[in-house]
Amino acid sequence: MHRSTLLRTLRRSGALTTVALASVVALAVPAAAHAEVEAEGARALDQNVELTFSAASESTTAGITKLEVILPKGLVPADITYEKGPDGWKFAPTSRGYTVSGEKRAVGEDVEYVVTVRQLPDAEALLFKTLQSYSDGKVDRWIELEEESEEDGHHGHPAPRLDLKAAAPGAKLVSPTPTASEEPTTAAPTKEATAESDAGTPSAEPAADSTDGDDGLSPAVPLGIGAAVLVAAGGGVWWFRSRRGGTA
């Protein structure tokens, strides 16, 4: 092989080796910390959708203790049902979303939990801004838009984003979840209903004049019979005394 050709070949081989080494080093660098939300195949207006949230730990000295999520427009805390998460952690609604919290996780340990959404809004994408608290009081604010994070010159703190496919044909927005104050109550009876009810119920006074139990006899009949008995008894006593006096 000509000397110049050999040199060019060695240079090319060296360049390829450099590129290969750079690629290996790049892949070996740990991925930047992040917070994400996933729901495979989710579409706008889908109902009962499971969302899986994950939050990576950025601290080397403290453990994660709480995640606070600010719900996007079109969702309210009543639409969210907590399914599972770290052992011992609890779900609690707030005025703008919800929290998932509990005993601090091990240092460097990520957090993952699952919730079910009653119905997804009619949107192209949803941002779930998240505040991630640590046992030492530090807070990671995953609230930036992706564009803002890119402008920072570092990985930034983009909010978990869920991209949605177009709504299925015929999909509609269901009625909002009723609150306690909106639950149906028993209506008070109207005046007409009360009048009809009164008309069908015998009053107390007619019941007092009822003839049930006396075989239909008028009250005057027993009174007449009683008087006749008294007269007959009186007459019998008078006759007995008269006869006795005559005999004597």
Side-chain angles (χ1 to χ4, degrees):
M1 181 180 292
H2 195 273
R3 186 170 181 274
S4 61
T5 302
L6 179 60
L7 289 174
R8 284 197 299 271
T9 301
L10 291 175
R11 290 194 188 101
R12 289 174 182 172
S13 299
L16 291 174
T17 301
T18 301
V19 171
L21 288 174
S23 299
V24 171
V25 171
L27 292 174
V29 174
H34 57 276
E36 294 183 344
V37 57
E38 297 178 350
E40 186 176 356
R43 307 172 68 125
L45 299 180
D46 276 355
Q47 299 183 40
N48 300 318
V49 181
E50 279 197 357
L51 305 184
T52 301
F53 287 85
S54 59
S57 175
E58 286 194 318
S59 176
T60 58
T61 59
I64 301 173
T65 58
K66 182 174 69 173
L67 299 174
E68 179 181 358
V69 175
I70 302 171
L71 292 173
K73 182 179 180 180
L75 290 178
V76 297
D79 294 324
I80 308 299
T81 301
Y82 185 60
E83 300 295 344
K84 60 182 179 179
D87 291 341
W89 278 38
K90 304 295 183 181
F91 173 91
T94 66
S95 60
R96 57 182 182 175
Y98 62 86
T99 61
V100 179
S101 61
E103 292 293 328
K104 71 174 183 177
R105 312 305 294 165
V107 175
E109 183 177 339
D110 300 340
V111 171
E112 182 174 292
Y113 68 92
V114 179
V115 300
T116 295
V117 178
R118 182 169 174 266
Q119 184 179 36
L120 295 175
D122 189 4
E124 295 181 356
L126 301 174
L127 293 179
F128 295 85
K129 295 182 179 182
T130 302
L131 304 180
Q132 180 173 317
S133 300
Y134 293 85
S135 56
D136 60 359
K138 178 185 174 183
V139 178
D140 286 340
R141 302 171 63 84
W142 302 100
I143 61 175
E144 301 174 3
L145 300 177
E146 292 183 354
E147 296 78 6
E148 295 173 346
S149 297
E150 293 173 356
E151 293 174 358
D152 288 342
H154 57 84
H155 71 269
H157 286 80
R161 176 189 174 104
L162 180 65
D163 293 314
L164 302 178
K165 297 179 180 180
K172 296 181 180 180
L173 187 65
V174 298
S175 58
T177 303
T179 61
S181 61
E182 295 174 345
E183 293 180 354
T185 57
T186 304
T190 61
K191 293 182 178 179
E192 292 78 3
T194 302
E196 292 177 0
S197 176
D198 291 342
T201 303
S203 63
E205 294 179 357
D209 294 335
S210 174
T211 58
D212 292 344
D214 60 7
D215 298 330
L217 295 177
S218 171
V221 174
L223 292 176
I225 295 174
V229 171
L230 291 175
V231 170
V237 171
W238 174 85
W239 176 82
F240 179 76
R241 285 181 176 178
S242 297
R243 183 177 180 185
R244 194 175 171 188
T247 304

